[in-house]
Amino acid sequence: MKRILSLAAPLIAVLTTPALAREVTDFTLDNGMQVVVIEDHRAPVVVNMVWYRVGAADEAPGKSGIAHFFEHLMFKATDELESGELSRIVEANGGSDNAFTSQDYTAYFQRVAADRLGLMMSLEADRMRDLTLTEEEVATERDVIIEERFTRTDSDPNALFREQMAAAAYLNHPYGIPIIGWRHEMEQLSREDALAFYRTYYAPNNAIAVIAGDVDPDEVRALAEQHYGVLEPSLDLPERARPQEPPQLAERRLSYSDPRVGRPYLVRRYQAPERDPGDQEVAASLVYLAEILGGDGATSVLGRALQFEDPKAVYTSASYRATSLDDTAFSLIAAPKDGVSLEEMEAEMDAVIAEFFETGIDSEQFARLKMQLRAAEIYEQDNVQSLADEYGRSLTSGLTLEDIAAWPDVLQSVTEEDVMEAARMVFDRRRAVTGFVMPENGEMTQ
């Protein structure tokens, strides 16, 4: 491995979330790699995660799928390990490992006994800089991801519709390109493409190590300096600048028909802001709005009105993904009962939303939701994997440790008027995409 001979003493910062008594230690190595330590001494286990600030939305034009493709290739041979040996070592030490790719990040993790942390770091450091790829390995793994696309996307009408929906929602931003990639571009990915991607983005100064579990921060720092601190950074790491969307001025609509669709449904997707550093209040309000409108079928606004009081739908929901590097989406879904058309379903849904703006929020429901969100934040502390995941997703999406620590209190500070104001801001049909999904003949199958 390439080495850096001199190290500067890393800057240490310790943050404690007052409401949840969560102690987090953060330091940065001399080569630019950030390390976050989340202490949890209830069991002698640790989750070791390495997050890279690169995802599908950072791919070069024409190379869709390369981020996910490279996630697969990271389990191949290095100058010290045979292909697949990393996972075998983890398993032999009683642990488990995996990886995942999103639009905004790629992450690798192991869950093992706490005394194996140094070994896990050595494995991650090895493949961060010393991966070796043969033409045969690249060709074999390319076939694997193409088969994965066939299994998970091409064979699933709902997945195909989601692809079309995202493509319609984004005219310019790469969020409109599927994470797994377009098939015709996936088929052309080469060893040279993979190595270029690796050399550009897989570097300590583009990575965050998140370690959660039964560990001591000083010991983690020593291990991080030993294994990660000696890695050479990339001097030409590109700025993370993506094409941005122009203002959406008109609603977009699409219809998707497929004989494999069992029951028709509609989706409406609004552009919505994400959590931003130091400015999370609107996102917190939208979290409540999604729960109020479509969180639980029996108690939500859409569920009560369309599934119980005057049954027109078999299913309703609302969703919002708060953590994202760039603007995200607020979505509504409704599946009509037999005999109710999608046009009628849409009209009924719009009528319920209009009534919601007239009547406002049920105060008792709002108070219950606050308690439920508070409880969910506390219960999440029981799972070190969830904790590490929360920190990794947030940090690679542009948030800071201070933002993560503040988030529970930001959620609790939201008022009913905040939620209504956020709803008025988001529910602008000029910034929406509405999609109908139906069987090829336009009728439901039984």
Short mmCIF file of all heavy atoms in Angstrom, two decimals, residues 264-301:
data_model
loop_
_atom_site.label_atom_id
_atom_site.label_comp_id
_atom_site.label_asym_id
_atom_site.label_seq_id
_atom_site.Cartn_x
_atom_site.Cartn_y
_atom_site.Cartn_z
N PRO A 264 -54.55 -1.55 -10.36
CA PRO A 264 -54.08 -0.20 -10.71
C PRO A 264 -53.89 0.67 -9.47
O PRO A 264 -54.51 0.43 -8.43
CB PRO A 264 -55.20 0.33 -11.61
CG PRO A 264 -56.40 -0.43 -11.23
CD PRO A 264 -55.93 -1.79 -10.83
N TYR A 265 -53.06 1.65 -9.61
CA TYR A 265 -52.85 2.61 -8.52
C TYR A 265 -52.30 3.89 -9.12
O TYR A 265 -51.84 3.92 -10.27
CB TYR A 265 -51.93 2.07 -7.44
CG TYR A 265 -50.54 1.73 -7.89
CD1 TYR A 265 -49.50 2.66 -7.79
CD2 TYR A 265 -50.24 0.46 -8.40
CE1 TYR A 265 -48.21 2.34 -8.18
CE2 TYR A 265 -48.94 0.14 -8.81
CZ TYR A 265 -47.94 1.08 -8.68
OH TYR A 265 -46.66 0.76 -9.09
N LEU A 266 -52.34 4.95 -8.35
CA LEU A 266 -51.80 6.22 -8.80
C LEU A 266 -50.78 6.72 -7.80
O LEU A 266 -50.87 6.45 -6.60
CB LEU A 266 -52.90 7.25 -9.03
CG LEU A 266 -53.63 7.84 -7.83
CD1 LEU A 266 -52.94 9.10 -7.31
CD2 LEU A 266 -55.07 8.18 -8.20
N VAL A 267 -49.82 7.46 -8.31
CA VAL A 267 -48.79 8.08 -7.50
C VAL A 267 -48.68 9.54 -7.90
O VAL A 267 -48.66 9.86 -9.09
CB VAL A 267 -47.41 7.40 -7.70
CG1 VAL A 267 -46.36 8.09 -6.84
CG2 VAL A 267 -47.49 5.92 -7.39
N ARG A 268 -48.62 10.41 -6.91
CA ARG A 268 -48.29 11.81 -7.19
C ARG A 268 -47.05 12.18 -6.40
O ARG A 268 -46.98 11.94 -5.19
CB ARG A 268 -49.43 12.76 -6.86
CG ARG A 268 -49.05 14.20 -7.25
CD ARG A 268 -50.17 15.19 -7.05
NE ARG A 268 -51.32 14.84 -7.86
CZ ARG A 268 -52.59 15.03 -7.48
NH1 ARG A 268 -52.84 15.56 -6.30
NH2 ARG A 268 -53.57 14.71 -8.28
N ARG A 269 -46.10 12.75 -7.10
CA ARG A 269 -44.80 13.06 -6.51
C ARG A 269 -44.52 14.55 -6.64
O ARG A 269 -44.49 15.09 -7.74
CB ARG A 269 -43.73 12.27 -7.27
CG ARG A 269 -42.33 12.39 -6.76
CD ARG A 269 -41.40 11.69 -7.75
NE ARG A 269 -40.06 11.52 -7.24
CZ ARG A 269 -39.16 12.48 -7.16
NH1 ARG A 269 -39.49 13.71 -7.56
NH2 ARG A 269 -37.96 12.25 -6.68
N TYR A 270 -44.36 15.22 -5.52
CA TYR A 270 -44.07 16.66 -5.49
C TYR A 270 -42.58 16.87 -5.20
O TYR A 270 -41.97 16.16 -4.40
CB TYR A 270 -44.86 17.36 -4.38
CG TYR A 270 -46.36 17.35 -4.54
CD1 TYR A 270 -47.12 16.31 -4.01
CD2 TYR A 270 -47.01 18.39 -5.20
CE1 TYR A 270 -48.50 16.31 -4.13
CE2 TYR A 270 -48.40 18.39 -5.32
CZ TYR A 270 -49.13 17.35 -4.80
OH TYR A 270 -50.51 17.35 -4.91
N GLN A 271 -41.99 17.87 -5.83
CA GLN A 271 -40.65 18.29 -5.44
C GLN A 271 -40.70 18.81 -4.00
O GLN A 271 -41.63 19.51 -3.61
CB GLN A 271 -40.14 19.40 -6.35
CG GLN A 271 -39.80 18.95 -7.77
CD GLN A 271 -39.20 20.08 -8.59
OE1 GLN A 271 -38.91 21.15 -8.07
NE2 GLN A 271 -39.01 19.83 -9.87
N ALA A 272 -39.68 18.46 -3.22
CA ALA A 272 -39.66 18.88 -1.82
C ALA A 272 -38.23 19.10 -1.36
O ALA A 272 -37.31 18.43 -1.84
CB ALA A 272 -40.34 17.82 -0.94
N PRO A 273 -38.02 20.02 -0.43
CA PRO A 273 -36.66 20.26 0.08
C PRO A 273 -36.22 19.14 1.02
O PRO A 273 -37.04 18.47 1.66
CB PRO A 273 -36.80 21.59 0.83
CG PRO A 273 -38.23 21.63 1.26
CD PRO A 273 -39.00 20.94 0.17
N GLU A 274 -34.91 18.95 1.09
CA GLU A 274 -34.33 17.96 1.99
C GLU A 274 -33.83 18.64 3.26
O GLU A 274 -33.91 19.87 3.40
CB GLU A 274 -33.18 17.24 1.28
CG GLU A 274 -31.87 18.00 1.23
CD GLU A 274 -31.84 19.15 0.22
OE1 GLU A 274 -32.88 19.42 -0.42
OE2 GLU A 274 -30.79 19.79 0.07
N ARG A 275 -33.31 17.86 4.19
CA ARG A 275 -32.64 18.42 5.36
C ARG A 275 -31.36 19.10 4.91
O ARG A 275 -30.53 18.52 4.22
CB ARG A 275 -32.29 17.31 6.35
CG ARG A 275 -33.45 16.68 7.06
CD ARG A 275 -33.03 15.40 7.80
NE ARG A 275 -32.06 15.64 8.84
CZ ARG A 275 -31.44 14.67 9.53
NH1 ARG A 275 -31.69 13.40 9.23
NH2 ARG A 275 -30.58 14.95 10.47
N ASP A 276 -31.20 20.35 5.28
CA ASP A 276 -30.00 21.09 4.93
C ASP A 276 -29.21 21.42 6.20
O ASP A 276 -29.79 21.58 7.28
CB ASP A 276 -30.36 22.40 4.22
CG ASP A 276 -30.78 22.16 2.78
OD1 ASP A 276 -30.20 21.28 2.13
OD2 ASP A 276 -31.71 22.86 2.31
N PRO A 277 -27.89 21.55 6.10
CA PRO A 277 -27.09 21.89 7.27
C PRO A 277 -27.57 23.18 7.93
O PRO A 277 -27.69 24.22 7.28
CB PRO A 277 -25.67 22.06 6.71
CG PRO A 277 -25.67 21.26 5.45
CD PRO A 277 -27.06 21.36 4.90
N GLY A 278 -27.88 23.10 9.22
CA GLY A 278 -28.33 24.25 9.97
C GLY A 278 -29.73 24.71 9.64
O GLY A 278 -30.21 25.72 10.18
N ASP A 279 -30.45 23.99 8.78
CA ASP A 279 -31.79 24.40 8.36
C ASP A 279 -32.64 23.15 8.12
O ASP A 279 -32.86 22.75 6.98
CB ASP A 279 -31.69 25.26 7.10
CG ASP A 279 -33.05 25.80 6.65
OD1 ASP A 279 -34.01 25.72 7.44
OD2 ASP A 279 -33.14 26.29 5.51
N GLN A 280 -33.12 22.56 9.21
CA GLN A 280 -33.83 21.28 9.12
C GLN A 280 -35.32 21.40 9.45
O GLN A 280 -36.02 20.40 9.46
CB GLN A 280 -33.20 20.26 10.07
CG GLN A 280 -31.72 20.03 9.84
CD GLN A 280 -31.14 18.98 10.76
OE1 GLN A 280 -31.11 17.80 10.43
NE2 GLN A 280 -30.70 19.40 11.93
N GLU A 281 -35.78 22.62 9.71
CA GLU A 281 -37.13 22.78 10.22
C GLU A 281 -38.21 22.39 9.21
O GLU A 281 -39.20 21.74 9.57
CB GLU A 281 -37.34 24.24 10.68
CG GLU A 281 -36.61 24.61 11.97
CD GLU A 281 -35.11 24.78 11.80
OE1 GLU A 281 -34.64 24.86 10.62
OE2 GLU A 281 -34.39 24.83 12.81
N VAL A 282 -38.04 22.79 7.94
CA VAL A 282 -39.06 22.45 6.94
C VAL A 282 -39.10 20.94 6.73
O VAL A 282 -40.16 20.34 6.64
CB VAL A 282 -38.78 23.19 5.62
CG1 VAL A 282 -39.74 22.70 4.53
CG2 VAL A 282 -38.92 24.69 5.80
N ALA A 283 -37.93 20.32 6.68
CA ALA A 283 -37.88 18.86 6.52
C ALA A 283 -38.58 18.17 7.69
O ALA A 283 -39.32 17.19 7.50
CB ALA A 283 -36.44 18.40 6.41
N ALA A 284 -38.36 18.66 8.89
CA ALA A 284 -39.03 18.06 10.05
C ALA A 284 -40.54 18.19 9.94
O ALA A 284 -41.29 17.26 10.27
CB ALA A 284 -38.53 18.73 11.33
N SER A 285 -41.01 19.32 9.45
CA SER A 285 -42.45 19.52 9.26
C SER A 285 -43.01 18.55 8.23
O SER A 285 -44.11 18.02 8.38
CB SER A 285 -42.74 20.96 8.84
OG SER A 285 -42.31 21.88 9.82
N LEU A 286 -42.23 18.27 7.18
CA LEU A 286 -42.69 17.35 6.15
C LEU A 286 -42.71 15.90 6.65
O LEU A 286 -43.51 15.09 6.17
CB LEU A 286 -41.81 17.48 4.91
CG LEU A 286 -41.95 18.80 4.15
CD1 LEU A 286 -40.93 18.89 3.03
CD2 LEU A 286 -43.37 18.97 3.60
N VAL A 287 -41.84 15.58 7.60
CA VAL A 287 -41.90 14.26 8.23
C VAL A 287 -43.27 14.07 8.89
O VAL A 287 -43.92 13.02 8.75
CB VAL A 287 -40.76 14.09 9.26
CG1 VAL A 287 -40.99 12.85 10.11
CG2 VAL A 287 -39.41 14.02 8.56
N TYR A 288 -43.72 15.10 9.62
CA TYR A 288 -45.04 15.02 10.25
C TYR A 288 -46.16 14.98 9.22
O TYR A 288 -47.13 14.24 9.37
CB TYR A 288 -45.25 16.23 11.18
CG TYR A 288 -44.56 16.10 12.50
CD1 TYR A 288 -43.32 16.67 12.72
CD2 TYR A 288 -45.16 15.40 13.56
CE1 TYR A 288 -42.68 16.56 13.94
CE2 TYR A 288 -44.52 15.28 14.78
CZ TYR A 288 -43.28 15.86 14.97
OH TYR A 288 -42.65 15.73 16.18
N LEU A 289 -46.01 15.77 8.16
CA LEU A 289 -47.07 15.82 7.15
C LEU A 289 -47.28 14.45 6.52
O LEU A 289 -48.42 14.02 6.31
CB LEU A 289 -46.70 16.84 6.07
CG LEU A 289 -47.74 17.03 4.95
CD1 LEU A 289 -49.05 17.58 5.51
CD2 LEU A 289 -47.18 17.95 3.87
N ALA A 290 -46.19 13.73 6.23
CA ALA A 290 -46.32 12.40 5.64
C ALA A 290 -47.05 11.45 6.59
O ALA A 290 -47.90 10.66 6.18
CB ALA A 290 -44.95 11.85 5.29
N GLU A 291 -46.73 11.54 7.89
CA GLU A 291 -47.40 10.67 8.86
C GLU A 291 -48.87 11.04 9.03
O GLU A 291 -49.74 10.17 9.14
CB GLU A 291 -46.68 10.76 10.20
CG GLU A 291 -45.30 10.13 10.22
CD GLU A 291 -45.36 8.63 9.98
OE1 GLU A 291 -46.28 7.97 10.50
OE2 GLU A 291 -44.49 8.12 9.26
N ILE A 292 -49.16 12.32 9.05
CA ILE A 292 -50.54 12.77 9.24
C ILE A 292 -51.41 12.37 8.06
O ILE A 292 -52.53 11.88 8.23
CB ILE A 292 -50.57 14.31 9.44
CG1 ILE A 292 -49.95 14.66 10.80
CG2 ILE A 292 -52.00 14.85 9.34
CD1 ILE A 292 -49.66 16.14 10.95
N LEU A 293 -50.90 12.55 6.86
CA LEU A 293 -51.71 12.25 5.67
C LEU A 293 -51.79 10.77 5.36
O LEU A 293 -52.85 10.30 4.94
CB LEU A 293 -51.15 13.01 4.47
CG LEU A 293 -51.30 14.52 4.47
CD1 LEU A 293 -50.71 15.10 3.19
CD2 LEU A 293 -52.76 14.93 4.60
N GLY A 294 -50.70 10.06 5.51
CA GLY A 294 -50.73 8.68 5.04
C GLY A 294 -49.85 7.70 5.78
O GLY A 294 -49.44 6.70 5.21
N GLY A 295 -49.58 7.97 7.06
CA GLY A 295 -48.71 7.07 7.80
C GLY A 295 -49.36 5.76 8.18
O GLY A 295 -48.83 4.68 7.93
N ASP A 296 -50.52 5.83 8.77
CA ASP A 296 -51.24 4.63 9.22
C ASP A 296 -52.63 4.64 8.59
O ASP A 296 -53.35 5.63 8.68
CB ASP A 296 -51.36 4.63 10.74
CG ASP A 296 -52.07 3.38 11.25
OD1 ASP A 296 -53.32 3.41 11.34
OD2 ASP A 296 -51.39 2.38 11.54
N GLY A 297 -53.01 3.51 7.97
CA GLY A 297 -54.28 3.47 7.26
C GLY A 297 -55.48 3.76 8.12
O GLY A 297 -56.46 4.36 7.66
N ALA A 298 -55.42 3.37 9.39
CA ALA A 298 -56.58 3.52 10.26
C ALA A 298 -56.69 4.91 10.87
O ALA A 298 -57.79 5.34 11.25
CB ALA A 298 -56.54 2.48 11.38
N THR A 299 -55.58 5.63 10.97
CA THR A 299 -55.61 6.92 11.66
C THR A 299 -55.21 8.11 10.79
O THR A 299 -55.47 9.25 11.17
CB THR A 299 -54.67 6.89 12.89
OG1 THR A 299 -53.33 6.63 12.45
CG2 THR A 299 -55.10 5.81 13.87
N SER A 300 -54.61 7.87 9.64
CA SER A 300 -54.16 8.98 8.80
C SER A 300 -55.34 9.63 8.08
O SER A 300 -56.43 9.05 7.97
CB SER A 300 -53.15 8.49 7.76
OG SER A 300 -53.76 7.58 6.86
N VAL A 301 -55.13 10.83 7.60
CA VAL A 301 -56.20 11.58 6.93
C VAL A 301 -56.70 10.84 5.69
O VAL A 301 -57.90 10.65 5.50
CB VAL A 301 -55.68 12.99 6.55
CG1 VAL A 301 -56.68 13.71 5.65
CG2 VAL A 301 -55.44 13.81 7.82
#
